[in-house]
Amino acid sequence: MRNVIIAGNWKMNKTFSEVEDFLDDFVDELEGTDHAGVEVVICPPALYLELASDYAQDSTFFTGAQDVSAHESGAYTGEISASMYSSMGITHCIIGHSERRKYHHEKDSLIHEKLQKLLAEEIVPIVCVGETLEEREAGITRNVILDQLKGVFEGISFNDPIVIAYEPVWAIGTGKTASPEQAQEIHAIIRQWVKAHVSPAAAENVPILYGGSMKPENIAELISQPDIDGGLIGGASLDAKKFIAMVKTAVEM
Ligand code: PEP
């Protein structure tokens, strides 16, 4: 049985005091919630990782970064390496988010390098894949996803924990959610790819999260699908009440 994962991607939001307020409220609520079988991950902006991981020490959530450098160290102004994260106890890291692909022109080959850096530091990568609206309307969603999987995961053994997030770009921050059937169809394609190209055991074990306007109102129908193992949540993870409500729904299912 795979654990369910509820991960919050805060993107570039919140001031320091807003982070403290969120964590005060959230940690209190989480403490009173038996969430065995449901892993909770919070991915704040890098500047707040230390604060979040301090709270995580006395709580039961994991702290994740939103991106990592493909380089180890040196003259890469503004970048943060995987070894820096691991030296601070950061356990997870999102890579390949569509906003990185769009605004920073990240390609699958670069995401593959980032993936290797994270695995070398035993940080759990949360690898995002997803099609744009144009690609969906052109009927090439399946091929787009398969190309991304091949480009990012070629030669990766899956011996260490890896999380995949299916995030249809047209559903991110738009309020439009993929229907449970649409999401399940792509999750099954992803799992099938892992089965065929890595191993049946890897396919059985890999958590595949859905991301794209997931919220308290729609999480249950999405995560009740057989191949949807949780959510990568943007907007709705910024509100402690909404985020804890989503954790509680996952616990009840
Ligand atoms: C995301 O950015 O990973 C995301 C899923 O955002 P939202 O939930 O706001 O659509």
Side-chain angles (χ1 to χ4, degrees):
M1 271 298 281
R2 296 179 292 272
N3 274 348
V4 170
I5 301 175
I6 302 296
N9 172 17
W10 285 2
K11 314 191 189 197
M12 195 173 72
N13 287 296
K14 294 193 185 293
T15 62
F16 187 83
S17 64
E18 287 168 349
V19 175
E20 287 183 312
D21 289 347
F22 178 105
L23 291 171
D24 284 339
D25 292 349
F26 185 74
V27 163
D28 264 6
E29 281 284 341
L30 195 64
E31 206 161 285
T33 307
D34 177 2
H35 63 103
V38 176
E39 291 174 31
V40 179
V41 186
I42 294 180
C43 304
L47 198 55
Y48 308 133
L49 280 169
E50 187 176 5
L51 176 65
S53 64
D54 280 352
Y55 275 85
Q57 300 259 309
D58 300 319
S59 184
T60 49
F61 70 92
F62 297 100
T63 312
Q66 297 177 12
D67 184 41
V68 67
S69 176
H71 304 285
E72 180 49 50
S73 65
Y76 301 102
T77 302
E79 298 208 12
I80 302 174
S81 71
S83 57
M84 292 175 184
Y85 288 141
S86 67
S87 73
M88 294 192 59
I90 306 305
T91 53
H92 292 67
C93 181
I94 299 167
I95 50 174
H97 193 280
S98 61
E99 288 149 16
R100 302 287 318 171
R101 292 176 187 261
K102 180 174 175 189
Y103 301 124
H104 301 271
H105 313 291
E106 294 196 3
K107 301 279 176 262
D108 294 329
S109 53
L110 178 72
I111 298 161
H112 175 81
E113 288 175 36
K114 293 183 174 195
L115 174 63
Q116 287 180 311
K117 288 286 182 293
L118 292 174
L119 292 174
E121 292 295 332
E122 297 180 7
I123 295 172
V124 181
I126 303 175
V127 182
C128 303
V129 296
E131 81 287 3
T132 63
L133 185 59
E134 296 71 41
E135 290 163 341
R136 177 159 281 267
E137 286 177 348
I140 58 169
T141 298
R142 180 189 167 87
N143 287 348
V144 169
I145 301 298
L146 294 179
D147 280 353
Q148 291 175 346
L149 293 171
K150 185 172 187 299
V152 175
F153 291 115
E154 187 86 75
I156 299 292
S157 67
F158 280 67
N159 287 338
D160 299 302
I162 290 177
V163 177
I164 301 176
Y166 168 55
E167 297 210 312
V169 181
W170 48 271
I172 296 180
T174 59
K176 279 189 215 159
T177 315
S179 69
E181 296 73 26
Q182 280 174 321
Q184 166 58 28
E185 182 190 359
I186 306 302
H187 282 236
I189 288 171
I190 294 170
R191 201 174 302 285
Q192 182 54 41
W193 186 91
V194 176
K195 186 175 181 185
H197 293 85
V198 185
S199 69
E204 191 50 42
N205 292 333
V206 64
I208 308 176
L209 313 185
Y210 168 79
S213 299
M214 197 183 239
K215 47 188 181 244
E217 295 77 20
N218 61 24
I219 185 171
E221 57 180 14
L222 286 159
I223 66 173
S224 60
Q225 298 296 313
D227 289 300
I228 302 184
D229 305 311
L232 179 56
I233 301 147
S237 74
L238 293 169
D239 180 320
K241 284 197 173 55
K242 286 187 185 169
F243 195 50
I244 197 79
M246 298 170 89
V247 172
K248 286 183 179 174
T249 300
V251 167
E252 282 159 15
M253 296 192 57

